[in-house]
Every structure is written in structure tokens, then in C-alpha cells.
């Protein structure tokens, strides 16, 4: 089998998605996601200008060799743009391989290790009361694990909490909006929020929380310690992870489990975090982490250190990545949990898919390959719109992490 053609599709059914389609001489094609929130066109042009010409004529079954060719051969390694482009190719090739062998991708990754993929959803509110009601609404939908975020009194807007109260999209069209941030009121209110959640919902529900990298290690250590009575499933991105040893300090002070990695894109970015057992869950995703070939190695490395996966799954990860993540999560042994922010109906219509949600779990379905398609006619009705993640400023105007 040979790759005969490949091209990038960009569509915006409510938000932007970059999809790579790889075609072969046997009529089988594969899809890969290359969406990088707020930097979509960089990956699209990386693929079109620099990667696609090198793919033509290659054997799509050579997932390992093509991965190494795109990673080592380019000289310039790592980085979110490069790794998302490599992921788009890699996932498309696994899709082709599954279709050619007439089996779902999970069978190529070791077969089923479990019956379903445990997922967590997002609940939020402008204040504690609203957040609690949203937890109740999501529990009604069957979710066994819920991430809870609340607005902070005195701040006009908080990332991860929709302004209007409805669903939220991480990115917004137009230039970046600016959100307010203040650490002290956040540190005071968050333990109280989880006290109330446990009071109302009991001990059985898995609770998660995302700090969005805004704390210093010592502030994160304090929050982790004060959240201990509420037995969180995890505290996510407590501090930026560029300085991996920052997590040593957090770890020395708290037994609240820690999840990191949605902005990381190679095994080297989390190498110290994992081998020192400073984290419990690695959140790197298939799309930003170089595809299934790289993620399988990351998961296997993490397994040695009792670190489980908890892959990023926000709406900026297209249904192609969601499908890949579900095949991966069903197969690998050290799977922990998968994030699930459902896509809009418009997005689901552009990407018809075999994966399903029921009662707190998702399943990739039994279609050969990934089991997800792209309706290019429908996709063509949603042209690209520039969109960005918001930026955050402290009350004195200083920029902080988002
Ligand atoms: O900010 O997906 O855990 N989920 C998150 C997301 C991310 C966006 C970034 O593109 O933190 O909302
Ligand atoms: Co996050």
C-alpha cells in the first residue's frame, strides 16, 4: 500500500478544527487531528508546506519509521506545532492500518484492557450555589467523575467558568479577551467549595479540579493540603510545569493527587515528573503529544512509576482525537480517566463517529480504524475564524498564566 495524496481540511463548526486526510492507492484513507487551539494555521501550513510532500509514495503501515522520519529527520524537535503535525500524520496512519486490517485501532494497541473508558465532565458556576447545581445536573447524566470550577467572589470572570452560564468554549473568536485573576480569594474559596460539594453529594463521586497553572508551588502545596479532607481524584496543573522540580515541593506537602501535562508534548517534558513520582496522572494528549506512537511509549514509561493517564479532552480536541483517545484508553493498562467535554451538534455532524457515551463511560465502537469520518461538504459550510484563548491579568494588570 502507498500514500498517494494528503491534504488539510480546516473547518469551524462553532470552533476551529484542523484535520489531515491521508489517501492511499488502495482507496483506504485515514484521518488525523492537528488542531492547536489559537494557533491552528501554524500546524496547517506546517503540514501542507513541509510534511505532506514527504509522505507521498510511503507505505502507511510504517507508523514507527514515518514517526521517526518526521521527528528526527527535521532536525528541529518537539514543540506544540511540530508535535501536533506529527500526531495528525501518525493518527491518520493508524486509522488506515485499522481499516486495512478490518479491526478497531484498540486491537492494534494491545486489545481491550477494560469494558469502557471512565470519563469526567465539567461542572461550573459563577458561585458555589450555581456550581453545586451544575454538579447535580451532570450527575443526572450518569457521570461518575466531575471537575468542579467556581467563579471567585470579587473577580469579574474566571477561566473555565462560562460567562453566560451555558456551555463554554476554551477559545473565543476575535482577539484575545482578558480575564481577571487574584490568587488569595481563590485559595480561600476553593476548599470551601469542595466542602460544600462533599456535603451535598457524599463520598462516592470522583471530584477533580483544574488550577490552570496559576499558583506558585508553595501556594499549590497549601491548596492541596487544604483540599485533603475532600479526597479529590486530582488537582490539575497546580503550577506551570516548565520547571519540573517545582512539583517536588508540592509533593512534599500534600497527598492530594496531581495531574499535569495538557500543554506538554513530548516524553522529555514529563520525564522528571514521572520518574520522581511527583505526579499521579499524565494529561498529555494524542494530538499535542505526537500521536498514538508517541503516547504508547509515554504511557508505558509512566506505568513503571505508577503514573496513570488522564488525557486532555476539551472541545478543542476534535472528534478524531476523541476517537483515538478512546481506543488508546480502552487498550493501555495504566489508563486512569479521560476528560470529556461534549462537542456541539454541529461538530458531531461534521465528524460522524462510532464512539458513544453511556452512564459515565465512553466506548470507541467496533468500526475498523478509528471509527470517525469527516463530512467535507458540511465542513465546507463553516469557514475558519481566528480565535484565541483568553489571557489573564492580576488585579494590578500583571499578566499571569491562563
Ligand atoms: O484550557 O483546552 O482541562 N482542560 C483545560 C482546557 C484548556 C483548553 C486549552 O486549549 O484546561 O480548558
Ligand atoms: Co486543564
Amino acid at each position: 500500500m502507498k500514500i498517494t495524496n494528503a491534504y488539510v481540511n480546516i473547518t469551524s463548526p462553532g470552533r476551529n478544527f484542523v484535520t489531515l486526510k491521508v489517501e492511499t492507492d488502495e482507496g483506504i484513507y485515514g484521518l488525523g487531528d492537528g488542531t492547536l487551539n489559537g494557533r491552528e494555521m501554524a500546524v496547517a501550513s506546517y503540514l501542507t508546506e513541509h510534511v505532506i510532500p514527504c509522505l507521498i509514495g510511503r507505505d502507511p503501515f510504517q507508523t514507527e519509521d514515518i514517526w521517526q522520519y518526521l521527528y528526527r529527520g527535521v532536525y528541529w524537535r518537539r514543540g506544540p506545532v511540530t508535535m501536533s503535525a506529527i500526531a495528525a500524520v501518525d493518527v491518520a496512519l493508524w486509522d488506515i492500518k485499522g481499516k486495512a486490517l478490518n479491526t478497531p485501532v484498540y486491537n492494534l494497541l494491545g486489545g481491550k484492557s477494560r469494558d469502557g473508558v471512565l470519563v469526567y465532565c465539567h461542572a461550573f458556576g459563577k458561585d458555589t450555589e450555581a456550581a453545586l447545581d451544575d454538579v447535580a445536573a451532570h450527575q443526572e447524566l450518569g457521570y461518575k467523575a466531575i471537575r468542579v470550577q467556581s467563579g471567585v467572589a470579587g473577580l469579574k470572570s474566571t477561566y473555565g467558568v462560562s460567562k453566560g452560564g451555558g456551555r463554554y468554549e476554551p477559545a473565543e473568536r476575535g482577539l484575545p479577551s482578558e480575564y481577571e485573576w487574584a490568587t488569595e480569594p481563590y485559595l480561600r474559596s476553593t476548599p470551601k467549595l469542595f466542602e460544600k460539594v462533599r456535603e451535598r453529594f457524599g463520598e462516592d463521586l470522583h471530584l477533580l479540579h483544574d488550577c490552570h497553572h496559576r499558583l506558585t508551588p508553595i501556594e499549590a502545596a497549601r491548596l492541596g493540603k487544604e483540599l485533603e479532607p475532600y479526597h479529590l481524584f486530582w488537582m490539575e496543573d497546580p503550577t506551570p510545569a516548565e520547571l519540573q522540580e517545582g512539583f517536588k515541593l508540592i509533593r512534599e506537602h500534600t497527598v492530594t493527587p496531581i495531574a499535569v501535562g495538557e500543554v506538554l508534548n513530548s516524553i522529555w517534558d514529563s520525564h522528571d515528573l514521572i520518574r520522581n513520582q511527583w505526579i499521579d496522572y499524565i494529561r498529555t494528549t494524542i494530538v499535542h503529544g505526537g500521536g498514538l506512537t508517541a503516547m504508547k511509549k509515554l504511557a508505558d514509561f509512566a506505568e513503571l512509576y505508577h503514573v496513570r493517564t488522564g488525557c486532555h479532552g476539551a472541545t478543542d480536541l476534535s472528534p478524531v482525537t476523541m476517537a483515538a483517545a478512546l481506543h488508546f484508553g480502552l487498550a493501555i493498562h495504566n489508563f486512569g480517566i479521560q476528560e470529556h467535554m461534549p462537542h456541539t451538534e454541529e461538530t458531531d455532524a461534521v465528524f460522524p463517529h462510532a464512539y458513544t457515551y453511556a452512564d459515565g463511560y465512553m466506548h470507541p465502537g467496533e468500526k475498523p480504524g478509528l471509527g470517525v469520518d469527516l463530512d467535507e461538504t458540511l465542513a465546507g459550510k463553516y469557514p475558519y475564524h481566528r480565535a484565541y484563548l483568553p489571557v489573564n491579568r492580576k488585579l494590578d494588570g500583571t499578566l499571569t498564566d491562563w
Side-chain angles (χ1 to χ4, degrees), residues 37 120 122 147 159 168 170 210 212 236 262 283 312 314 316 339 389 402:
N37 213 357
Y120 74 91
H122 291 194
R147 185 187 98 162
Y159 183 68
Y168 89 95
D210 194 345
H212 292 295
E236 174 182 335
E262 65 181 56
R283 279 183 52 70
H312 189 200
D316 45 306
E339 184 176 16
L389 285 159
W402 51 269

Side-chain angles (χ1 to χ4, degrees), residues 266-322:
S266 103
I267 203 165
W268 302 107
D269 297 343
S270 52
H271 177 238
D272 291 336
L273 291 172
I274 292 171
R275 74 184 174 87
N276 289 304
Q277 301 176 60
W278 289 332
I279 60 170
D280 301 278
Y281 296 92
I282 182 72
R283 279 183 52 70
T284 308
T285 54
I286 288 158
V287 52
H288 303 138
L292 286 163
T293 296
M295 286 295 292
K296 181 75 169 76
K297 292 177 191 187
L298 176 59
D300 289 345
F301 172 63
E303 187 176 11
L304 299 181
Y305 299 95
H306 306 286
V307 173
R308 289 183 284 168
T309 62
C311 297
H312 189 200
T315 39
D316 45 306
L317 282 57
S318 91
V320 178
T321 288
M322 182 50 85

Side-chain angles (χ1 to χ4, degrees), residues 149 152 181-188 190-191 209-225 227 235-243 246-247 249-250 254 258 394 400-402:
Q149 308 290 128
V152 175
W181 180 249
T183 302
E184 272 306 316
Y186 167 77
L187 285 177
R188 284 195 302 268
T190 304
H209 181 69
D210 194 345
C211 306
H212 292 295
H213 327 252
R214 295 208 195 97
L215 306 174
T216 64
I218 199 69
E219 289 164 350
R222 167 179 151 192
L223 182 62
K225 210 170 183 171
L227 287 171
M235 173 169 83
E236 174 182 335
D237 287 333
T239 200
E242 287 97 323
L243 180 70
F247 287 79
L249 196 148
I250 303 174
T254 179
I258 294 167
K394 293 185 179 172
T400 184
D401 288 272
W402 51 269

Side-chain angles (χ1 to χ4, degrees), residues 155 178-183 392-400:
L155 299 185
E178 302 210 352
Y179 284 28
E180 280 183 343
W181 180 249
T183 302
N392 282 276
R393 289 185 191 276
K394 293 185 179 172
L395 297 180
D396 72 351
T398 310
L399 267 170
T400 184

